[in-house]
Amino acid sequence: MLMLDIPAVRTLAGAALHSPGLPSDNPGPPPDAAALREALDQVRAGWAAAGIR
């Protein structure tokens, strides 16, 4: 199992909590599109460093 304990994962998880259909009482605003793209790039880089493509 691959676990990435990096801020990017928390950014993506935060965005998932703000997805339509989930309760609206989640704290904080959703991340902006640029932050999500950067977070996804960081997660992909972490996977690549672990040898996962």
Side-chain angles (χ1 to χ4, degrees):
M1 172 161 87
L2 174 65
M3 290 180 52
L4 292 175
D5 186 19
I6 58 175
V9 173
R10 290 185 285 281
T11 298
L12 294 175
L17 291 175
H18 287 89
S19 295
L22 292 177
S24 61
D25 61 347
N26 296 312
D32 64 29
L36 289 176
R37 279 191 296 276
E38 177 64 25
L40 186 55
D41 289 345
Q42 289 176 14
V43 169
R44 286 181 175 156
W47 288 342
I52 299 171
R53 299 188 227 201

